[in-house]
Amino acid sequence: MGAGHAHRLYRHGHSPVHELPPHCKLAAVFAFVIIVVSTPRESMWAFGLYAVLLAAVAAAARIPAGFLLKRLLIEIPFVAFAVLMPFVVPGDQVHVLGLSLSEPGLWGAWNVLAKGTLGVAASVILASTTELRSLLLGLQRLKLPPLLVQIASFMIRYGDVITDEMRRMSIARRSRGFEAKGIRHWGVLGKSAGALFIRSYERGERVHLAMVSRGYAGSMPVIDEVTASREQWTYAAGLPVAALFICLLGWTL
């Protein structure tokens, strides 16, 4: 399976978290996110404990706090959405610092921020400790439909190729004195996007023919099979099991 190049989220290391098989980490993160989403929003203390669990995993993986926090900026659009909720959601009003805010909106904003942040943080830790190729092998090991795994593999592999093609087209436009300064230049940008689509489509056709000529029959060969021992599964299960205990307490208290 291709796409063995490292991505920018990955942080090379030799921690116990790095050494876990990818399918163990994927299953643990998926279970953790499901448990977090299932936790009642009124149990604020539970989300604090979830954050402590993730901090412990990040420490075990030797991921610096700055590295993790910088990559959490990807959730800024969700933060902006959550900030608007107390102003637009109808319901009983409460006064905070002289502002009249919706009580259901405040709870909704807290729900989005807490669960979204924890989910993104868990995903960032997973990406920081697992190479892309290993993630794809893990998805295959977890019996995700092979077609979806192949689509993800090709997307990762050729995403950089298409981006580089777009960069070369941009350089060619600038070398001819073109600068997009207003709406009157949108036509040129639209034609460039069309040309990029055609080039990408033609490249895909050529790659597919090359693969078929080399024996491709709908599935990619797996050279190195990933396996996990009982100890590794137990180690990976520590995060979702602890989270499940917190979630159950949140529902009972």
Side-chain angles (χ1 to χ4, degrees):
M1 184 175 295
H5 55 287
H7 56 91
R8 284 178 288 182
L9 283 178
Y10 179 71
R11 182 179 176 85
H12 182 74
H14 299 284
S15 70
V17 181
H18 282 81
E19 295 172 358
L20 279 176
H23 53 291
C24 294
K25 289 185 278 189
L26 283 166
V29 169
F30 179 77
F32 174 79
V33 171
I34 294 297
I35 292 169
V36 169
V37 172
S38 303
T39 304
R41 62 187 183 182
E42 292 79 10
S43 301
M44 295 185 177
W45 57 270
F47 297 101
L49 293 180
Y50 291 147
V52 171
L53 288 178
L54 289 181
V57 174
R62 303 185 185 96
I63 301 175
F67 182 90
L68 181 60
L69 293 174
K70 185 184 299 184
R71 279 145 184 82
L72 285 178
L73 294 177
I74 194 174
E75 69 164 342
I76 287 180
F78 298 96
V79 174
F81 172 75
V83 169
L84 291 176
M85 291 183 69
F87 297 96
V88 299
V89 175
D92 297 335
Q93 300 292 308
V94 295
H95 294 279
V96 179
L97 300 177
L99 297 174
S100 181
L101 305 176
S102 165
E103 184 175 353
L106 287 172
W107 278 116
W110 159 252
N111 195 47
V112 171
L113 283 176
K115 296 180 180 180
T117 300
L118 290 169
V120 171
S123 301
V124 170
I125 293 174
L126 172 64
S128 301
T129 57
T130 315
E131 293 182 343
L132 280 177
R133 181 174 180 274
S134 298
L135 282 174
L136 295 173
L137 290 173
L139 291 173
Q140 194 171 49
R141 182 70 177 178
L142 292 175
K143 304 303 180 182
L144 195 75
L147 181 60
L148 295 181
V149 177
Q150 291 182 56
I151 291 174
S153 175
F154 293 138
M155 180 184 69
I156 293 169
R157 171 62 182 88
Y158 289 100
D160 292 338
V161 176
I162 302 304
T163 301
D164 189 59
E165 184 73 22
M166 184 170 60
R167 181 185 60 82
R168 289 197 300 269
M169 293 174 66
S170 177
I171 293 174
R173 289 196 304 268
R174 291 198 304 269
S175 66
R176 289 163 176 81
F178 174 81
E179 290 187 18
K181 296 182 178 179
I183 191 172
R184 60 192 179 90
H185 293 126
W186 287 6
V188 176
L189 297 178
K191 293 177 181 178
S192 298
L196 179 63
F197 174 79
I198 293 174
R199 291 186 184 184
S200 302
Y201 182 83
E202 291 176 345
R203 183 189 294 271
E205 289 292 316
R206 293 196 300 271
V207 170
H208 179 258
L209 289 175
M211 293 171 61
V212 170
S213 67
R214 289 165 174 79
Y216 176 74
S219 62
M220 299 292 288
V222 178
I223 299 176
D224 46 348
E225 185 74 17
V226 290
T227 58
S229 64
R230 180 178 299 178
E231 290 77 14
Q232 289 173 320
W233 274 112
T234 303
Y235 187 81
L239 176 65
V241 168
L244 179 61
F245 178 74
I246 295 171
C247 180
L248 293 176
L249 282 179
W251 280 105
T252 55
L253 295 181

